[in-house]
Structure formats: C-alpha cells, structure tokens
Amino acid sequence: MVSFIALAIALYHGYFLKLEVWMGVGGLVGLTGLYAVPMLPNAKNLRSWGGLKIFIVALVWAGATVILPVLSEGGLMEKDVWIECIQRFLFVLILLIPFEIRDMAYDSPELKTLPQRYGVAYTKIFGSFGTLPFFFLLFMKDTISMYEAIAGGIMFLTLGALMFVTKRQQNRYFSSFWVEGISIFWWTLLFVFGRLF
C-alpha cells in the first residue's frame, strides 16, 4: 500500500519535470530493469554477470544524483559535471564494498561478487585504490573552491580508513549505520566549510 501511495505521489510530481529529466530517468530505470529482467538468451539478467552488481548500482546513483539535477536545472553537460559524475560513481562504489564483504555469507555463489571472486583482501585493495582517482579528479575541474578541496581530502582519508577497518565479521551497525552515514558526513563537511571559507 505504501508503495502505491509513493508511486502516486511520484507520478504527480513527475508531471512538473522537464522532458530531458524524464529521458534521463527512463535511461536509469531501463538500466535498473535490465539488472533484474532477462535480456539475453544465455544470461538470466545483468545480475547474473558476475561482479556487475555494484557497478550498476554506482552508475545509477551517479546518474540520479549528478546528471538528473543538471538536466533539471537546464545546465550543460560540461567537463566539471562529468568529473563530478565519475567521482560520485567511485564514491558509491567504495561505499558498497563493506556491504559486499558483509553479505558474503548470504550471497549466492552464482552472483560472483568481488569478494567472492577475488577475496576480501583484494577487494579492499581495489576500494583503497579507488580513493585515489576519487580525490585527485577534484583538481581536474575548471572551478574548485578551497572548502571542496579540504572536504575532498578529509573524505579521501575517511574512505581509505574505511577500507582498512572493513572486516568480514562486522558489528551490527557498521555498514547499515556508519558506512551509510559517510555521505551525510561529506555533506556536513561541505556545508560547514562552505560557511567558514
């Protein structure tokens, strides 16, 4: 019932969105649908392609949080937007790794998640190396403020520390509270430093 109410509210507000936004939403919904719905004769769906899950999730999140707002505001898809999109993709990808490691005990072996394929240690190394482009892409933007650079540096260290402390046997609230709270922590840094500088 709640889902139907949410759908009705979404359709009402969707009436006010621009056509470009609807096209972007359509692309993201299509990608999400292909993840769950069979599309090829030899593969059940995109989920059956081992290890693809977190990349699709990160791509959809990057599109929904960067591309759709730009389309909504009528902005141009300039270099800075694409860099922000890649950064957001890497950010979500890194945050998904603790969940993938935690869920190893519950995931079917057919999923072939990164920890299942390469082990926990190599998956954490992969996430650690992902923090490097996440941070240094910041300096490829045409416009960058001091507070963005400082917040980016703190996030670089935070994500690196996250990869270090992530374990297979996690505290009950580690992923579902602390890891999920990192995005709020990033927003708080940007908000506070934006006021200070």
Side-chain angles (χ1 to χ4, degrees), residues 28-143:
L28 295 175
V29 168
L31 184 61
T32 306
L34 290 175
Y35 177 67
V37 178
M39 65 168 200
L40 296 173
N42 296 333
K44 297 174 187 172
N45 47 41
L46 286 180
R47 185 183 175 110
S48 65
W49 293 9
L52 200 59
K53 180 178 83 168
I54 63 172
F55 296 98
I56 293 174
V57 171
L59 187 62
V60 170
W61 271 99
T65 60
V66 178
I67 304 297
L68 291 185
V70 171
L71 292 175
S72 179
E73 292 299 312
L76 299 173
M77 301 303 291
E78 297 174 340
K79 184 179 86 169
D80 283 6
V81 173
W82 291 112
I83 291 173
E84 183 69 31
C85 194
I86 294 168
Q87 281 186 297
R88 194 68 51 89
F89 172 83
L90 291 168
F91 177 72
V92 175
L93 195 66
I94 294 164
L95 288 186
L96 285 171
I97 287 175
F99 291 95
E100 292 284 290
I101 292 172
R102 179 196 68 184
D103 294 341
M104 277 183 72
Y106 314 106
D107 284 339
S108 165
E110 294 176 1
L111 286 179
K112 297 178 184 173
T113 62
L114 290 180
Q116 287 174 337
R117 280 184 142 188
Y118 305 109
V120 172
Y122 283 116
T123 303
K124 289 169 64 172
I125 290 169
F126 169 77
S128 299
F129 277 108
T131 63
L132 295 170
F134 166 77
F135 177 62
F136 289 107
L137 277 169
L138 191 64
F139 301 101
M140 293 181 66
K141 290 183 178 179
D142 291 331
T143 55

